Amino acid sequence: MEDKSAILVGASGLVGGELLNFLLQGEQYSKVIVLGRRPLNITHPKLEEIIVDFEYLDEYKESFSVDDVFCCLGTTIKKAKTKEGFKKVDVDYVLSLARIAKEMKVEKFLIVSSMGANQGSAIFYSKMKGLVEESLKKIGFNSLHIFRPSLLLGKRQEVRSGEAAASVLSQLLLFMFRGPLRKYRPIDAKVVAKGMYRAAQKERDGHYIYMSDEIFNLS
Ligand SMILES: NC(=O)c1ccc[n+]([C@@H]2O[C@H](COP(=O)([O-])OP(=O)(O)OC[C@H]3O[C@@H](n4cnc5c(N)ncnc54)[C@H](OP(=O)(O)O)[C@@H]3O)[C@@H](O)[C@H]2O)c1
């Protein structure tokens, strides 16, 4: 067992839940701190859960004495109700986390962004993902890993009819996602989580962006 520690944010979500399993079951981490707004109702000797108010993340600064920070936070415009609400979660909370992590000397930050992330995009979602990526690059982590999955597959507790329809359609058209189109292939949340776990074990400095096809290769 290695003696690394990690913070995971978004552990109650699809990718975050899968990543939590890897972090708890793997040999690399002896302590996993989950920051969330509600309890997970899981107990594990390595797990420390902290219920936080994301508006006041600075109050939990002392918990950030860890090796790696994994961010799987995110909402949808439907859930957030407004673009401002969406930006608050997908951009502002993420950047607060990252700035505190940097201040507390965390060297490695890993985040799930999205395919199409582009600060100049006319699509609000892609623009916000691009904005958060560019801002993270400026924070100056020694090691920054950005994952840009295409459509995520996996079992959700909530119904997302658009994603469900896209998932069915893409399963029918799987044969199309070959060669250069492989990066558009829908990807299981578990594969993304495994890719994040694996990337965190590479002792390489620098900024890395992984499209779905590269995430498949990592995992
Ligand atoms: N869905 C897709 O097909 C897709 C594709 C590419 C990229 N992505 C991106 O991948 C990332 C992970 O996606 P996912 O589907 O795993 O996410 P998810 O299942 O919706 O989980 C999101 C996580 O963020 C937390 N969260 C949401 N709103 C919050 C708030 N206001 N305050 C505090 N925590 C909040 C949730 O906590 P609660 O459980 O407390 O709500 C949950 O832990 C997201 O950034 C998403 O945009 C998604």
Side-chain angles (χ1 to χ4, degrees):
M1 173 80 67
E2 289 210 20
D3 199 24
K4 292 206 292 181
S5 54
I7 281 183
L8 169 61
V9 185
S12 56
L14 191 59
V15 177
E18 298 288 359
L19 182 53
L20 181 62
N21 290 334
F22 285 113
L23 292 170
L24 294 178
Q25 286 162 20
E27 302 242 305
Q28 304 296 328
Y29 298 88
S30 57
K31 183 161 135 187
V32 180
I33 301 173
V34 162
L35 304 185
R37 58 178 173 173
R38 60 191 174 93
L40 293 172
N41 298 319
I42 298 174
T43 51
H44 190 283
K46 284 188 201 174
L47 178 65
E48 184 184 321
E49 227 185 319
I50 307 178
I51 303 301
V52 300
D53 182 340
F54 282 84
E55 294 288 331
Y56 302 98
L57 273 174
D58 261 326
E59 290 180 7
Y60 314 92
K61 195 184 278 185
E62 297 315 315
S63 312
F64 281 68
S65 299
V66 295
D67 297 289
D68 305 337
V69 170
F70 295 88
C71 180
C72 301
L73 205 60
T75 188
T76 58
I77 302 225
K78 191 175 170 196
K79 275 209 240 175
K81 304 216 167 36
T82 60
K83 286 182 173 176
E84 290 71 28
F86 178 89
K87 179 175 174 284
K88 185 179 267 198
V89 177
D90 280 60
V91 178
D92 300 347
Y93 289 171
V94 173
L95 294 182
S96 297
L97 271 174
R99 289 193 182 110
I100 298 168
K102 177 67 185 166
E103 189 186 330
M104 296 305 284
K105 310 217 178 324
V106 171
E107 299 204 337
K108 198 175 284 169
F109 192 91
L110 304 96
I111 180 166
V112 195
S113 173
S114 177
M115 185 175 76
N118 174 2
Q119 208 173 355
S121 175
I123 300 165
F124 179 75
Y125 176 85
S126 304
K127 188 182 175 77
M128 291 302 105
K129 293 297 187 187
L131 173 65
V132 81
E133 287 191 9
E134 291 310 314
S135 309
L136 284 171
K137 286 179 195 165
K138 289 183 193 143
I139 288 178
F141 288 105
N142 285 352
S143 181
L144 173 67
H145 298 259
I146 295 171
F147 294 77
R148 286 188 185 169
S150 48
L151 179 69
L152 291 173
L153 303 176
K155 277 203 179 134
R156 291 187 187 277
Q157 283 166 357
E158 75 199 90
V159 178
R160 291 189 186 176
S161 41
E163 283 182 18
S167 164
V168 171
L169 188 64
S170 56
Q171 295 295 323
L172 293 171
L173 300 174
L174 258 190
F175 65 91
M176 281 177 51
F177 300 106
R178 290 198 182 146
L181 295 184
R182 196 164 171 256
K183 61 174 177 255
Y184 301 112
R185 187 177 153 183
I187 186 165
D188 207 305
K190 193 171 188 169
V191 174
V192 178
K194 194 169 180 185
M196 293 180 84
Y197 182 84
R198 289 252 171 100
Q201 312 323 317
K202 292 184 194 285
E203 295 307 327
R204 287 187 309 179
D205 286 351
H207 293 176
Y208 301 92
I209 293 181
Y210 309 91
M211 303 299 289
S212 276
D213 52 341
E214 292 159 314
I215 304 174
F216 276 113
N217 294 343
L218 256 182
S219 70

